[in-house]
Short mmCIF file of all heavy atoms in Angstrom, two decimals:
data_model
loop_
_atom_site.label_atom_id
_atom_site.label_comp_id
_atom_site.label_asym_id
_atom_site.label_seq_id
_atom_site.Cartn_x
_atom_site.Cartn_y
_atom_site.Cartn_z
N MET T 1 -56.34 -21.09 127.69
CA MET T 1 -56.98 -19.77 127.75
C MET T 1 -56.57 -18.95 126.53
O MET T 1 -55.41 -18.95 126.14
CB MET T 1 -56.54 -19.03 129.03
CG MET T 1 -57.26 -17.72 129.23
SD MET T 1 -56.59 -16.76 130.60
CE MET T 1 -57.26 -17.69 131.98
N GLN T 2 -57.57 -18.31 125.92
CA GLN T 2 -57.27 -17.50 124.73
C GLN T 2 -57.07 -16.04 125.11
O GLN T 2 -57.74 -15.53 126.00
CB GLN T 2 -58.41 -17.61 123.72
CG GLN T 2 -58.32 -18.87 122.88
CD GLN T 2 -59.29 -18.85 121.72
OE1 GLN T 2 -60.29 -18.15 121.75
NE2 GLN T 2 -59.00 -19.63 120.71
N CYS T 3 -56.16 -15.41 124.40
CA CYS T 3 -55.90 -14.00 124.64
C CYS T 3 -57.15 -13.18 124.28
O CYS T 3 -57.68 -13.31 123.18
CB CYS T 3 -54.73 -13.55 123.78
SG CYS T 3 -54.39 -11.79 123.90
N PRO T 4 -57.63 -12.35 125.19
CA PRO T 4 -58.83 -11.57 124.91
C PRO T 4 -58.59 -10.46 123.89
O PRO T 4 -59.53 -9.86 123.38
CB PRO T 4 -59.18 -10.97 126.29
CG PRO T 4 -57.92 -10.98 127.06
CD PRO T 4 -57.11 -12.14 126.54
N PHE T 5 -57.33 -10.21 123.58
CA PHE T 5 -57.01 -9.10 122.67
C PHE T 5 -56.81 -9.58 121.24
O PHE T 5 -57.26 -8.96 120.29
CB PHE T 5 -55.77 -8.35 123.15
CG PHE T 5 -55.93 -7.84 124.56
CD1 PHE T 5 -55.30 -8.49 125.61
CD2 PHE T 5 -56.73 -6.75 124.83
CE1 PHE T 5 -55.45 -8.03 126.91
CE2 PHE T 5 -56.89 -6.28 126.12
CZ PHE T 5 -56.26 -6.93 127.17
N CYS T 6 -56.12 -10.74 121.07
CA CYS T 6 -55.83 -11.18 119.70
C CYS T 6 -56.29 -12.62 119.43
O CYS T 6 -56.19 -13.08 118.31
CB CYS T 6 -54.33 -11.03 119.40
SG CYS T 6 -53.30 -12.18 120.32
N GLY T 7 -56.77 -13.35 120.46
CA GLY T 7 -57.31 -14.68 120.23
C GLY T 7 -56.29 -15.80 120.21
O GLY T 7 -56.64 -16.96 120.06
N THR T 8 -55.00 -15.46 120.34
CA THR T 8 -53.95 -16.47 120.38
C THR T 8 -54.04 -17.27 121.68
O THR T 8 -54.41 -16.73 122.71
CB THR T 8 -52.57 -15.78 120.29
OG1 THR T 8 -52.53 -15.01 119.10
CG2 THR T 8 -51.44 -16.81 120.27
N GLU T 9 -53.71 -18.57 121.60
CA GLU T 9 -53.67 -19.37 122.82
C GLU T 9 -52.55 -18.85 123.72
O GLU T 9 -51.41 -18.70 123.28
CB GLU T 9 -53.44 -20.84 122.47
CG GLU T 9 -53.62 -21.81 123.61
CD GLU T 9 -55.01 -21.81 124.22
OE1 GLU T 9 -56.00 -21.54 123.50
OE2 GLU T 9 -55.12 -22.06 125.43
N MET T 10 -52.87 -18.58 124.96
CA MET T 10 -51.89 -17.98 125.86
C MET T 10 -51.03 -19.06 126.51
O MET T 10 -51.42 -20.22 126.59
CB MET T 10 -52.60 -17.15 126.94
CG MET T 10 -53.42 -16.02 126.35
SD MET T 10 -54.17 -14.96 127.61
CE MET T 10 -52.83 -13.79 127.88
N GLU T 11 -49.85 -18.67 126.95
CA GLU T 11 -48.94 -19.60 127.62
C GLU T 11 -49.11 -19.49 129.13
O GLU T 11 -49.11 -18.40 129.69
CB GLU T 11 -47.49 -19.27 127.26
CG GLU T 11 -47.12 -19.70 125.87
CD GLU T 11 -45.67 -19.34 125.56
OE1 GLU T 11 -44.78 -19.71 126.31
OE2 GLU T 11 -45.48 -18.65 124.53
N GLN T 12 -49.24 -20.67 129.74
CA GLN T 12 -49.44 -20.71 131.18
C GLN T 12 -48.10 -20.74 131.91
O GLN T 12 -47.16 -21.38 131.47
CB GLN T 12 -50.24 -21.95 131.56
CG GLN T 12 -50.71 -21.94 133.00
CD GLN T 12 -51.57 -23.15 133.32
OE1 GLN T 12 -51.80 -24.00 132.46
NE2 GLN T 12 -52.03 -23.22 134.54
N GLY T 13 -48.04 -20.02 132.98
CA GLY T 13 -46.81 -20.02 133.77
C GLY T 13 -47.02 -19.29 135.09
O GLY T 13 -48.15 -19.14 135.54
N PHE T 14 -45.92 -18.87 135.65
CA PHE T 14 -45.98 -18.18 136.94
C PHE T 14 -45.12 -16.94 136.92
O PHE T 14 -44.03 -16.93 136.36
CB PHE T 14 -45.49 -19.09 138.07
CG PHE T 14 -46.39 -20.27 138.30
CD1 PHE T 14 -46.15 -21.48 137.67
CD2 PHE T 14 -47.49 -20.17 139.14
CE1 PHE T 14 -46.97 -22.57 137.87
CE2 PHE T 14 -48.33 -21.26 139.35
CZ PHE T 14 -48.07 -22.46 138.72
N ILE T 15 -45.63 -15.90 137.55
CA ILE T 15 -44.83 -14.72 137.82
C ILE T 15 -44.22 -14.88 139.21
O ILE T 15 -44.90 -15.28 140.15
CB ILE T 15 -45.68 -13.44 137.74
CG1 ILE T 15 -45.72 -12.95 136.30
CG2 ILE T 15 -45.11 -12.34 138.64
CD1 ILE T 15 -46.37 -11.59 136.14
N TYR T 16 -42.94 -14.62 139.28
CA TYR T 16 -42.24 -14.67 140.57
C TYR T 16 -41.75 -13.28 140.91
O TYR T 16 -41.09 -12.64 140.10
CB TYR T 16 -41.02 -15.60 140.48
CG TYR T 16 -41.35 -17.04 140.19
CD1 TYR T 16 -41.53 -17.47 138.89
CD2 TYR T 16 -41.48 -17.95 141.23
CE1 TYR T 16 -41.82 -18.80 138.61
CE2 TYR T 16 -41.78 -19.28 140.97
CZ TYR T 16 -41.95 -19.69 139.65
OH TYR T 16 -42.24 -21.00 139.38
N GLY T 17 -42.11 -12.83 142.10
CA GLY T 17 -41.51 -11.62 142.64
C GLY T 17 -40.39 -12.05 143.57
O GLY T 17 -40.60 -12.90 144.43
N ARG T 18 -39.21 -11.52 143.36
CA ARG T 18 -38.06 -11.97 144.14
C ARG T 18 -37.35 -10.79 144.77
O ARG T 18 -37.16 -9.75 144.13
CB ARG T 18 -37.07 -12.70 143.22
CG ARG T 18 -37.66 -13.89 142.51
CD ARG T 18 -37.53 -15.11 143.31
NE ARG T 18 -36.15 -15.28 143.70
CZ ARG T 18 -35.62 -16.43 144.12
NH1 ARG T 18 -36.36 -17.51 144.18
NH2 ARG T 18 -34.37 -16.52 144.47
N ARG T 19 -36.94 -10.99 146.00
CA ARG T 19 -36.20 -9.93 146.69
C ARG T 19 -34.85 -9.69 146.06
O ARG T 19 -34.30 -8.61 146.11
CB ARG T 19 -36.01 -10.31 148.16
CG ARG T 19 -37.25 -10.09 148.97
CD ARG T 19 -36.92 -10.18 150.45
NE ARG T 19 -38.15 -10.00 151.22
CZ ARG T 19 -38.49 -10.76 152.25
NH1 ARG T 19 -37.69 -11.70 152.66
NH2 ARG T 19 -39.62 -10.55 152.88
N ASP T 20 -34.28 -10.77 145.48
CA ASP T 20 -32.92 -10.63 144.96
C ASP T 20 -32.87 -10.11 143.53
O ASP T 20 -31.97 -9.37 143.17
CB ASP T 20 -32.16 -11.96 145.09
CG ASP T 20 -32.97 -13.14 144.57
OD1 ASP T 20 -34.10 -12.94 144.11
OD2 ASP T 20 -32.45 -14.27 144.63
N CYS T 21 -33.83 -10.49 142.69
CA CYS T 21 -33.64 -10.15 141.27
C CYS T 21 -34.85 -9.51 140.62
O CYS T 21 -34.84 -9.27 139.42
CB CYS T 21 -33.25 -11.41 140.50
SG CYS T 21 -34.54 -12.63 140.57
N GLY T 22 -35.90 -9.22 141.36
CA GLY T 22 -37.02 -8.51 140.76
C GLY T 22 -38.14 -9.42 140.31
O GLY T 22 -38.43 -10.42 140.96
N LEU T 23 -38.72 -9.07 139.17
CA LEU T 23 -39.93 -9.73 138.71
C LEU T 23 -39.63 -10.55 137.46
O LEU T 23 -39.05 -10.04 136.50
CB LEU T 23 -40.96 -8.64 138.38
CG LEU T 23 -42.43 -8.92 138.62
CD1 LEU T 23 -42.69 -9.35 140.06
CD2 LEU T 23 -43.22 -7.66 138.31
N LEU T 24 -40.04 -11.81 137.47
CA LEU T 24 -39.81 -12.61 136.26
C LEU T 24 -40.95 -13.60 136.05
O LEU T 24 -41.72 -13.90 136.97
CB LEU T 24 -38.47 -13.34 136.33
CG LEU T 24 -38.25 -14.29 137.51
CD1 LEU T 24 -38.22 -15.72 137.02
CD2 LEU T 24 -36.96 -13.96 138.20
N TRP T 25 -41.04 -14.08 134.83
CA TRP T 25 -42.09 -15.05 134.47
C TRP T 25 -41.42 -16.30 133.94
O TRP T 25 -40.46 -16.22 133.16
CB TRP T 25 -43.00 -14.45 133.40
CG TRP T 25 -44.11 -15.36 132.97
CD1 TRP T 25 -45.35 -15.45 133.54
CD2 TRP T 25 -44.10 -16.29 131.89
NE1 TRP T 25 -46.09 -16.40 132.89
CE2 TRP T 25 -45.35 -16.94 131.87
CE3 TRP T 25 -43.14 -16.66 130.95
CZ2 TRP T 25 -45.68 -17.91 130.93
CZ3 TRP T 25 -43.46 -17.64 130.02
CH2 TRP T 25 -44.72 -18.24 130.01
N LEU T 26 -41.91 -17.47 134.36
CA LEU T 26 -41.40 -18.74 133.84
C LEU T 26 -42.58 -19.60 133.40
O LEU T 26 -43.63 -19.59 134.04
CB LEU T 26 -40.62 -19.50 134.91
CG LEU T 26 -39.24 -18.97 135.31
CD1 LEU T 26 -38.67 -19.80 136.45
CD2 LEU T 26 -38.29 -18.96 134.13
N PRO T 27 -42.41 -20.36 132.29
CA PRO T 27 -43.49 -21.22 131.83
C PRO T 27 -43.81 -22.31 132.85
O PRO T 27 -42.95 -22.68 133.66
CB PRO T 27 -42.94 -21.86 130.54
CG PRO T 27 -41.75 -21.06 130.16
CD PRO T 27 -41.23 -20.43 131.42
N LEU T 28 -45.01 -22.82 132.79
CA LEU T 28 -45.44 -23.92 133.64
C LEU T 28 -44.45 -25.08 133.52
O LEU T 28 -44.09 -25.48 132.43
CB LEU T 28 -46.83 -24.37 133.19
CG LEU T 28 -47.56 -25.40 134.05
CD1 LEU T 28 -47.97 -24.78 135.38
CD2 LEU T 28 -48.79 -25.91 133.33
N GLY T 29 -44.01 -25.63 134.65
CA GLY T 29 -43.12 -26.77 134.63
C GLY T 29 -41.65 -26.42 134.69
O GLY T 29 -40.82 -27.29 134.92
N GLU T 30 -41.32 -25.15 134.46
CA GLU T 30 -39.91 -24.74 134.54
C GLU T 30 -39.58 -24.36 135.98
O GLU T 30 -40.36 -23.68 136.65
CB GLU T 30 -39.63 -23.54 133.64
CG GLU T 30 -39.63 -23.86 132.16
CD GLU T 30 -38.40 -24.66 131.73
OE1 GLU T 30 -37.50 -24.87 132.56
OE2 GLU T 30 -38.37 -25.07 130.57
N LYS T 31 -38.42 -24.80 136.42
CA LYS T 31 -38.01 -24.46 137.78
C LYS T 31 -37.13 -23.21 137.77
O LYS T 31 -36.45 -22.93 136.79
CB LYS T 31 -37.22 -25.63 138.40
CG LYS T 31 -38.10 -26.81 138.72
CD LYS T 31 -37.61 -27.51 140.00
CE LYS T 31 -38.56 -28.61 140.42
NZ LYS T 31 -38.37 -29.84 139.64
N MET T 32 -37.18 -22.51 138.86
CA MET T 32 -36.33 -21.33 139.02
C MET T 32 -34.86 -21.74 138.91
O MET T 32 -34.42 -22.68 139.56
CB MET T 32 -36.61 -20.76 140.41
CG MET T 32 -35.91 -19.47 140.70
SD MET T 32 -36.54 -18.10 139.74
CE MET T 32 -38.18 -17.92 140.43
N PRO T 33 -34.11 -21.06 138.02
CA PRO T 33 -32.68 -21.41 137.91
C PRO T 33 -31.95 -21.11 139.21
O PRO T 33 -32.33 -20.21 139.96
CB PRO T 33 -32.18 -20.51 136.78
CG PRO T 33 -33.21 -19.45 136.59
CD PRO T 33 -34.50 -19.98 137.11
N TYR T 34 -30.89 -21.86 139.47
CA TYR T 34 -30.11 -21.66 140.68
C TYR T 34 -29.48 -20.27 140.67
O TYR T 34 -29.53 -19.53 141.64
CB TYR T 34 -29.03 -22.75 140.80
CG TYR T 34 -28.18 -22.61 142.02
CD1 TYR T 34 -28.74 -22.76 143.29
CD2 TYR T 34 -26.82 -22.32 141.93
CE1 TYR T 34 -27.96 -22.62 144.42
CE2 TYR T 34 -26.04 -22.18 143.06
CZ TYR T 34 -26.61 -22.33 144.31
OH TYR T 34 -25.84 -22.19 145.42
N MET T 35 -28.87 -19.94 139.53
CA MET T 35 -28.34 -18.60 139.34
C MET T 35 -29.31 -17.86 138.43
O MET T 35 -29.47 -18.23 137.27
CB MET T 35 -26.96 -18.64 138.68
CG MET T 35 -25.86 -19.13 139.60
SD MET T 35 -25.36 -17.90 140.84
CE MET T 35 -24.55 -16.69 139.79
N ILE T 36 -29.96 -16.84 138.95
CA ILE T 36 -30.95 -16.14 138.14
C ILE T 36 -30.27 -15.04 137.32
O ILE T 36 -29.93 -13.99 137.82
CB ILE T 36 -32.05 -15.56 139.03
CG1 ILE T 36 -32.70 -16.70 139.83
CG2 ILE T 36 -33.12 -14.87 138.19
CD1 ILE T 36 -33.65 -16.22 140.90
N THR T 37 -30.06 -15.37 136.05
CA THR T 37 -29.46 -14.41 135.14
C THR T 37 -30.38 -14.29 133.93
O THR T 37 -31.26 -15.12 133.72
CB THR T 37 -28.08 -14.89 134.64
OG1 THR T 37 -28.26 -16.13 133.93
CG2 THR T 37 -27.13 -15.13 135.81
N LYS T 38 -30.15 -13.25 133.12
CA LYS T 38 -30.95 -13.07 131.92
C LYS T 38 -30.88 -14.30 131.02
O LYS T 38 -31.88 -14.75 130.48
CB LYS T 38 -30.46 -11.84 131.15
CG LYS T 38 -31.04 -10.56 131.70
CD LYS T 38 -30.56 -9.36 130.90
CE LYS T 38 -31.01 -8.07 131.59
NZ LYS T 38 -30.34 -6.89 131.08
N ASN T 39 -29.66 -14.85 130.87
CA ASN T 39 -29.49 -16.02 130.00
C ASN T 39 -30.20 -17.25 130.56
O ASN T 39 -30.77 -18.02 129.80
CB ASN T 39 -28.00 -16.31 129.80
CG ASN T 39 -27.39 -15.34 128.81
OD1 ASN T 39 -28.10 -14.71 128.02
ND2 ASN T 39 -26.08 -15.21 128.85
N ALA T 40 -30.13 -17.42 131.88
CA ALA T 40 -30.78 -18.58 132.49
C ALA T 40 -32.29 -18.50 132.30
O ALA T 40 -32.95 -19.51 132.05
CB ALA T 40 -30.43 -18.66 133.97
N ILE T 41 -32.83 -17.31 132.40
CA ILE T 41 -34.28 -17.14 132.21
C ILE T 41 -34.65 -17.35 130.74
O ILE T 41 -35.62 -18.03 130.42
CB ILE T 41 -34.70 -15.74 132.69
CG1 ILE T 41 -34.52 -15.64 134.22
CG2 ILE T 41 -36.15 -15.46 132.33
CD1 ILE T 41 -34.60 -14.24 134.75
N LYS T 42 -33.82 -16.82 129.86
CA LYS T 42 -34.05 -16.97 128.43
C LYS T 42 -34.01 -18.44 128.02
O LYS T 42 -34.81 -18.91 127.22
CB LYS T 42 -32.97 -16.17 127.66
CG LYS T 42 -33.46 -15.57 126.37
CD LYS T 42 -32.36 -14.68 125.80
CE LYS T 42 -32.72 -14.21 124.41
NZ LYS T 42 -31.63 -13.42 123.81
N ALA T 43 -33.05 -19.18 128.59
CA ALA T 43 -32.90 -20.60 128.26
C ALA T 43 -34.14 -21.39 128.66
O ALA T 43 -34.41 -22.45 128.11
CB ALA T 43 -31.67 -21.16 128.96
N ARG T 44 -34.87 -20.90 129.64
CA ARG T 44 -36.09 -21.57 130.08
C ARG T 44 -37.33 -20.98 129.40
O ARG T 44 -38.46 -21.23 129.82
CB ARG T 44 -36.21 -21.45 131.60
CG ARG T 44 -35.26 -22.39 132.31
CD ARG T 44 -35.02 -21.96 133.74
NE ARG T 44 -34.13 -22.90 134.42
CZ ARG T 44 -32.81 -22.94 134.26
NH1 ARG T 44 -32.22 -22.10 133.45
NH2 ARG T 44 -32.08 -23.82 134.90
N ASN T 45 -37.10 -20.16 128.39
CA ASN T 45 -38.21 -19.56 127.66
C ASN T 45 -39.02 -18.59 128.53
O ASN T 45 -40.19 -18.36 128.30
CB ASN T 45 -39.13 -20.64 127.10
CG ASN T 45 -39.59 -20.27 125.70
OD1 ASN T 45 -39.15 -19.27 125.13
ND2 ASN T 45 -40.50 -21.07 125.17
N GLY T 46 -38.37 -18.07 129.56
CA GLY T 46 -39.04 -17.15 130.46
C GLY T 46 -38.81 -15.70 130.08
O GLY T 46 -38.18 -15.40 129.07
N LEU T 47 -39.33 -14.82 130.90
CA LEU T 47 -39.23 -13.39 130.66
C LEU T 47 -38.79 -12.68 131.93
O LEU T 47 -39.29 -12.97 133.02
CB LEU T 47 -40.59 -12.81 130.25
CG LEU T 47 -41.27 -13.38 129.02
CD1 LEU T 47 -42.70 -12.89 128.97
CD2 LEU T 47 -40.53 -12.95 127.76
N LEU T 48 -37.86 -11.76 131.77
CA LEU T 48 -37.49 -10.90 132.89
C LEU T 48 -38.35 -9.64 132.80
O LEU T 48 -38.31 -8.93 131.81
CB LEU T 48 -36.00 -10.55 132.81
CG LEU T 48 -35.39 -9.86 134.03
CD1 LEU T 48 -35.52 -10.72 135.27
CD2 LEU T 48 -33.93 -9.54 133.77
N LEU T 49 -39.14 -9.39 133.82
CA LEU T 49 -40.12 -8.30 133.73
C LEU T 49 -39.65 -7.04 134.43
O LEU T 49 -40.12 -5.94 134.14
CB LEU T 49 -41.45 -8.75 134.34
CG LEU T 49 -42.04 -10.02 133.72
CD1 LEU T 49 -43.25 -10.47 134.51
CD2 LEU T 49 -42.42 -9.79 132.27
N GLY T 50 -38.77 -7.19 135.37
CA GLY T 50 -38.28 -6.01 136.08
C GLY T 50 -37.12 -6.39 136.96
O GLY T 50 -37.12 -7.45 137.56
N GLU T 51 -36.10 -5.58 136.97
CA GLU T 51 -34.89 -5.94 137.71
C GLU T 51 -34.83 -5.28 139.08
O GLU T 51 -33.90 -5.50 139.85
CB GLU T 51 -33.66 -5.59 136.89
CG GLU T 51 -33.55 -6.46 135.65
CD GLU T 51 -32.29 -6.18 134.84
OE1 GLU T 51 -31.21 -6.54 135.31
OE2 GLU T 51 -32.41 -5.59 133.76
N ARG T 52 -35.79 -4.46 139.37
CA ARG T 52 -35.80 -3.84 140.69
C ARG T 52 -36.28 -4.88 141.71
O ARG T 52 -37.27 -5.57 141.45
CB ARG T 52 -36.77 -2.64 140.67
CG ARG T 52 -36.37 -1.57 141.66
CD ARG T 52 -37.33 -0.41 141.60
NE ARG T 52 -37.20 0.38 140.37
CZ ARG T 52 -37.99 1.41 140.09
NH1 ARG T 52 -38.97 1.74 140.90
NH2 ARG T 52 -37.82 2.09 138.99
N PRO T 53 -35.58 -4.98 142.83
CA PRO T 53 -35.98 -5.99 143.82
C PRO T 53 -37.44 -5.85 144.23
O PRO T 53 -37.92 -4.75 144.45
CB PRO T 53 -35.05 -5.72 145.00
CG PRO T 53 -33.89 -5.02 144.42
CD PRO T 53 -34.40 -4.23 143.24
N PHE T 54 -38.11 -6.97 144.31
CA PHE T 54 -39.51 -7.00 144.71
C PHE T 54 -39.56 -7.01 146.24
O PHE T 54 -38.71 -7.63 146.89
CB PHE T 54 -40.16 -8.25 144.13
CG PHE T 54 -41.64 -8.12 143.94
CD1 PHE T 54 -42.16 -7.26 142.99
CD2 PHE T 54 -42.52 -8.86 144.71
CE1 PHE T 54 -43.52 -7.13 142.81
CE2 PHE T 54 -43.89 -8.74 144.54
CZ PHE T 54 -44.39 -7.88 143.59
N PRO T 55 -40.56 -6.35 146.84
CA PRO T 55 -40.58 -6.26 148.31
C PRO T 55 -40.68 -7.60 149.03
O PRO T 55 -40.22 -7.73 150.16
CB PRO T 55 -41.80 -5.39 148.61
CG PRO T 55 -42.49 -5.14 147.33
CD PRO T 55 -41.57 -5.52 146.22
N GLU T 56 -41.31 -8.59 148.40
CA GLU T 56 -41.36 -9.90 149.07
C GLU T 56 -41.34 -10.99 148.01
O GLU T 56 -41.66 -10.76 146.85
CB GLU T 56 -42.61 -10.01 149.93
CG GLU T 56 -43.88 -9.69 149.19
CD GLU T 56 -45.11 -9.81 150.09
OE1 GLU T 56 -45.09 -10.65 150.99
OE2 GLU T 56 -46.07 -9.05 149.88
N ASN T 57 -40.98 -12.21 148.43
CA ASN T 57 -40.98 -13.34 147.51
C ASN T 57 -42.42 -13.81 147.29
O ASN T 57 -43.09 -14.22 148.23
CB ASN T 57 -40.14 -14.48 148.06
CG ASN T 57 -38.66 -14.15 148.00
OD1 ASN T 57 -38.22 -13.34 147.18
ND2 ASN T 57 -37.88 -14.79 148.84
N THR T 58 -42.88 -13.74 146.03
CA THR T 58 -44.24 -14.15 145.73
C THR T 58 -44.25 -15.00 144.47
O THR T 58 -43.33 -14.95 143.65
CB THR T 58 -45.17 -12.95 145.50
OG1 THR T 58 -44.58 -12.10 144.52
CG2 THR T 58 -45.42 -12.17 146.75
N LYS T 59 -45.32 -15.77 144.30
CA LYS T 59 -45.51 -16.60 143.11
C LYS T 59 -46.99 -16.51 142.75
O LYS T 59 -47.85 -16.68 143.60
CB LYS T 59 -45.10 -18.03 143.43
CG LYS T 59 -45.21 -18.97 142.25
CD LYS T 59 -44.81 -20.37 142.68
CE LYS T 59 -45.02 -21.36 141.54
NZ LYS T 59 -44.74 -22.74 141.98
N LEU T 60 -47.27 -16.23 141.48
CA LEU T 60 -48.65 -16.00 141.06
C LEU T 60 -48.87 -16.66 139.71
O LEU T 60 -48.08 -16.47 138.78
CB LEU T 60 -48.90 -14.49 140.96
CG LEU T 60 -50.26 -14.02 140.45
CD1 LEU T 60 -51.33 -14.29 141.48
CD2 LEU T 60 -50.21 -12.53 140.14
N GLU T 61 -49.94 -17.44 139.58
CA GLU T 61 -50.25 -18.06 138.30
C GLU T 61 -50.61 -16.96 137.30
O GLU T 61 -51.42 -16.08 137.59
CB GLU T 61 -51.41 -19.03 138.45
CG GLU T 61 -51.55 -19.93 137.25
CD GLU T 61 -52.52 -21.08 137.49
OE1 GLU T 61 -53.12 -21.15 138.57
OE2 GLU T 61 -52.66 -21.89 136.56
N PHE T 62 -49.98 -17.03 136.12
CA PHE T 62 -50.11 -15.91 135.20
C PHE T 62 -49.98 -16.42 133.76
O PHE T 62 -49.13 -17.24 133.46
CB PHE T 62 -48.99 -14.90 135.50
CG PHE T 62 -49.27 -13.51 135.01
CD1 PHE T 62 -50.08 -12.65 135.73
CD2 PHE T 62 -48.70 -13.06 133.82
CE1 PHE T 62 -50.33 -11.36 135.28
CE2 PHE T 62 -48.94 -11.77 133.36
CZ PHE T 62 -49.75 -10.92 134.10
N PHE T 63 -50.87 -15.93 132.89
CA PHE T 63 -50.86 -16.32 131.49
C PHE T 63 -50.30 -15.17 130.66
O PHE T 63 -50.61 -14.01 130.92
CB PHE T 63 -52.28 -16.61 130.99
CG PHE T 63 -52.89 -17.83 131.63
CD1 PHE T 63 -53.43 -17.78 132.90
CD2 PHE T 63 -52.93 -19.03 130.94
CE1 PHE T 63 -54.00 -18.91 133.48
CE2 PHE T 63 -53.49 -20.16 131.51
CZ PHE T 63 -54.03 -20.10 132.78
N ILE T 64 -49.49 -15.50 129.66
CA ILE T 64 -48.99 -14.44 128.79
C ILE T 64 -49.31 -14.74 127.34
O ILE T 64 -49.48 -15.89 126.93
CB ILE T 64 -47.45 -14.24 128.92
CG1 ILE T 64 -46.69 -15.50 128.50
CG2 ILE T 64 -47.07 -13.82 130.32
CD1 ILE T 64 -45.29 -15.20 128.04
N CYS T 65 -49.41 -13.67 126.55
CA CYS T 65 -49.55 -13.77 125.11
C CYS T 65 -48.31 -13.14 124.50
O CYS T 65 -48.06 -11.96 124.69
CB CYS T 65 -50.80 -13.04 124.63
SG CYS T 65 -50.92 -12.95 122.84
N ARG T 66 -47.52 -13.96 123.80
CA ARG T 66 -46.30 -13.42 123.21
C ARG T 66 -46.59 -12.58 121.98
O ARG T 66 -45.78 -11.77 121.56
CB ARG T 66 -45.35 -14.55 122.83
CG ARG T 66 -44.73 -15.22 124.04
CD ARG T 66 -43.66 -16.20 123.63
NE ARG T 66 -43.39 -17.13 124.72
CZ ARG T 66 -42.44 -16.93 125.63
NH1 ARG T 66 -41.69 -15.86 125.58
NH2 ARG T 66 -42.24 -17.80 126.58
N LYS T 67 -47.75 -12.79 121.38
CA LYS T 67 -48.08 -12.07 120.15
C LYS T 67 -48.31 -10.59 120.42
O LYS T 67 -47.80 -9.74 119.72
CB LYS T 67 -49.31 -12.70 119.51
CG LYS T 67 -49.42 -12.40 118.03
CD LYS T 67 -50.56 -13.18 117.41
CE LYS T 67 -50.79 -12.71 115.99
NZ LYS T 67 -52.01 -13.28 115.43
N CYS T 68 -49.08 -10.29 121.44
CA CYS T 68 -49.37 -8.88 121.71
C CYS T 68 -48.87 -8.44 123.08
O CYS T 68 -49.23 -7.36 123.55
CB CYS T 68 -50.86 -8.58 121.52
SG CYS T 68 -51.93 -9.40 122.70
N ASN T 69 -48.05 -9.30 123.74
CA ASN T 69 -47.47 -8.94 125.03
C ASN T 69 -48.49 -8.67 126.11
O ASN T 69 -48.23 -7.89 127.02
CB ASN T 69 -46.53 -7.74 124.89
CG ASN T 69 -45.22 -8.11 124.22
OD1 ASN T 69 -44.74 -9.23 124.40
ND2 ASN T 69 -44.69 -7.22 123.42
N ALA T 70 -49.63 -9.31 126.01
CA ALA T 70 -50.62 -9.16 127.05
C ALA T 70 -50.33 -10.17 128.15
O ALA T 70 -49.71 -11.20 127.93
CB ALA T 70 -52.02 -9.40 126.49
N GLY T 71 -50.77 -9.86 129.34
CA GLY T 71 -50.62 -10.78 130.44
C GLY T 71 -51.88 -10.79 131.26
O GLY T 71 -52.54 -9.77 131.44
N LEU T 72 -52.27 -11.98 131.75
CA LEU T 72 -53.50 -12.11 132.52
C LEU T 72 -53.25 -12.95 133.75
O LEU T 72 -52.70 -14.04 133.66
CB LEU T 72 -54.58 -12.80 131.70
CG LEU T 72 -55.43 -12.02 130.73
CD1 LEU T 72 -56.48 -12.96 130.17
CD2 LEU T 72 -56.08 -10.84 131.39
N SER T 73 -53.68 -12.44 134.87
CA SER T 73 -53.69 -13.25 136.07
C SER T 73 -54.93 -14.12 136.04
O SER T 73 -55.93 -13.77 135.40
CB SER T 73 -53.67 -12.34 137.29
OG SER T 73 -54.34 -12.96 138.35
N LYS T 74 -54.89 -15.27 136.68
CA LYS T 74 -56.04 -16.16 136.65
C LYS T 74 -57.17 -15.65 137.54
O LYS T 74 -58.29 -16.10 137.44
CB LYS T 74 -55.59 -17.56 137.09
CG LYS T 74 -56.47 -18.65 136.52
CD LYS T 74 -55.99 -20.02 136.97
CE LYS T 74 -56.92 -21.10 136.42
NZ LYS T 74 -56.54 -22.42 136.94
N PHE T 75 -56.85 -14.73 138.41
CA PHE T 75 -57.83 -14.31 139.40
C PHE T 75 -58.48 -12.98 139.03
O PHE T 75 -57.85 -12.15 138.43
CB PHE T 75 -57.16 -14.23 140.77
CG PHE T 75 -56.44 -15.51 141.11
CD1 PHE T 75 -55.06 -15.58 140.99
CD2 PHE T 75 -57.15 -16.64 141.49
CE1 PHE T 75 -54.40 -16.76 141.27
CE2 PHE T 75 -56.47 -17.81 141.76
CZ PHE T 75 -55.10 -17.88 141.65
ZN1 ZN I 1 -52.65 -11.54 122.40
#
């Protein structure tokens, strides 16, 4: 999928909403680290999007563009 804003190929992954650590994004194929820390997420090339606890545990397919920081849900 191409970024609608800058045309760069977007990275496929998932956004996870977590009761314990907030909102984060991980690339396709990466598993949630056992200990969710900034470094663990960084090591998986993921992004920490918010540290406030999310109301429920959710997982959503989500594409990101690192060039312009755009994000797109597939739906
Ligand atoms: Zn873009």
